[in-house]
Amino acid sequence: MASRVYPSATEDNYLALKERYDLDLAVGVARDYLDAAIAQSRDTVVTHWSISCLPSTGGGGRLFTVNVGALEGAYLWVLRERSVVTGYVVTVFVDRATLERDCGGSLAELDHRFGDDVLLEVAEHTKFAGRAVSLTSEVLGPRIALPEGLRWKAAAASLAAQLMAESTCVYAQYHNRWLADRVLNG
């Protein structure tokens, strides 16, 4: 019996992303996340992390999702008004303890300092076990541009390392090799 091929893993989805959206922006945001969070991303692709392209997750508005171990590490989605793309938004998951330590404040204090630019929320999935925070912000260019004082990169790397140590990538069947190649190789 042939294995199922998921749309998010197909070249057709990659080509649709390229045709309908800002591919360079999506690639830049994904690369920025991988550079920050995944040590040796080329050596761990598919085994410990994967990237899906135009997944149906979240109502189909996502351009990509980077899955790390058994959970999401980051995703990019579009804002629409009357079916017209009006912007892009990224969500990145980070380790709460590392974020609070590196930024010198509690989550409530960070929300007070950065809440006008970033939505900070404790990640609800039970597998995060209260250790993760999601950072959500509008994307204005091909990178994750969170406020300078919000030191998210080490916190993203800490969470990703934990997730990869706990599990191999359980979403490998959704991995889009065309998008991954573009992100990893330019």
Side-chain angles (χ1 to χ4, degrees):
M1 179 178 206
S3 63
R4 178 174 179 198
V5 177
Y6 293 90
S8 63
T10 66
E11 185 176 22
D12 286 347
N13 270 32
Y14 172 74
L15 294 173
L17 172 63
K18 186 176 178 179
E19 180 181 309
R20 295 183 204 149
Y21 302 101
D22 187 337
L23 177 64
D24 290 336
L25 181 136
V27 166
V29 169
R31 184 177 296 134
D32 202 26
Y33 172 75
L34 290 177
D35 288 348
I38 309 291
Q40 302 160 344
S41 57
R42 291 178 194 282
D43 297 335
T44 57
V45 64
V46 181
T47 58
H48 285 84
W49 71 270
S50 66
I51 189 167
S52 59
C53 183
L54 300 178
S56 59
T57 312
R62 291 187 186 183
L63 299 188
F64 70 77
T65 299
V66 175
N67 295 292
V68 182
L71 293 164
E72 297 171 338
Y75 54 86
L76 179 70
W77 79 92
V78 294
L79 296 173
R80 288 190 175 96
E81 191 171 309
R82 295 186 192 102
S83 301
V84 174
V85 174
T86 58
Y88 298 89
V89 177
V90 66
T91 296
V92 176
F93 293 91
V94 301
D95 179 68
R96 179 179 183 165
T98 304
L99 184 71
E100 290 175 333
R101 182 195 70 223
D102 288 357
C103 294
S106 69
L107 190 58
E109 292 168 330
L110 298 177
D111 187 47
H112 181 73
R113 284 175 29 206
F114 302 108
D116 289 342
D117 299 313
V118 180
L119 177 62
L120 296 95
E121 296 181 300
V122 174
E124 293 184 7
H125 196 290
T126 58
K127 289 183 182 178
F128 279 130
R131 65 185 161 178
V133 173
S134 65
L135 308 175
T136 302
S137 180
E138 190 171 3
V139 174
L140 302 174
R143 56 184 287 272
I144 300 170
L146 295 171
E148 190 173 313
L150 188 61
R151 297 185 181 107
W152 67 274
K153 292 183 178 185
S158 176
L159 182 63
Q162 293 170 48
L163 296 175
M164 290 191 304
E166 293 168 5
S167 172
T168 58
C169 186
V170 299
Y171 297 102
Q173 70 269 27
Y174 303 103
H175 181 69
N176 189 288
R177 64 184 173 109
W178 295 272
L179 183 55
D181 183 60
R182 179 75 188 270
V183 170
L184 291 171
N185 300 311

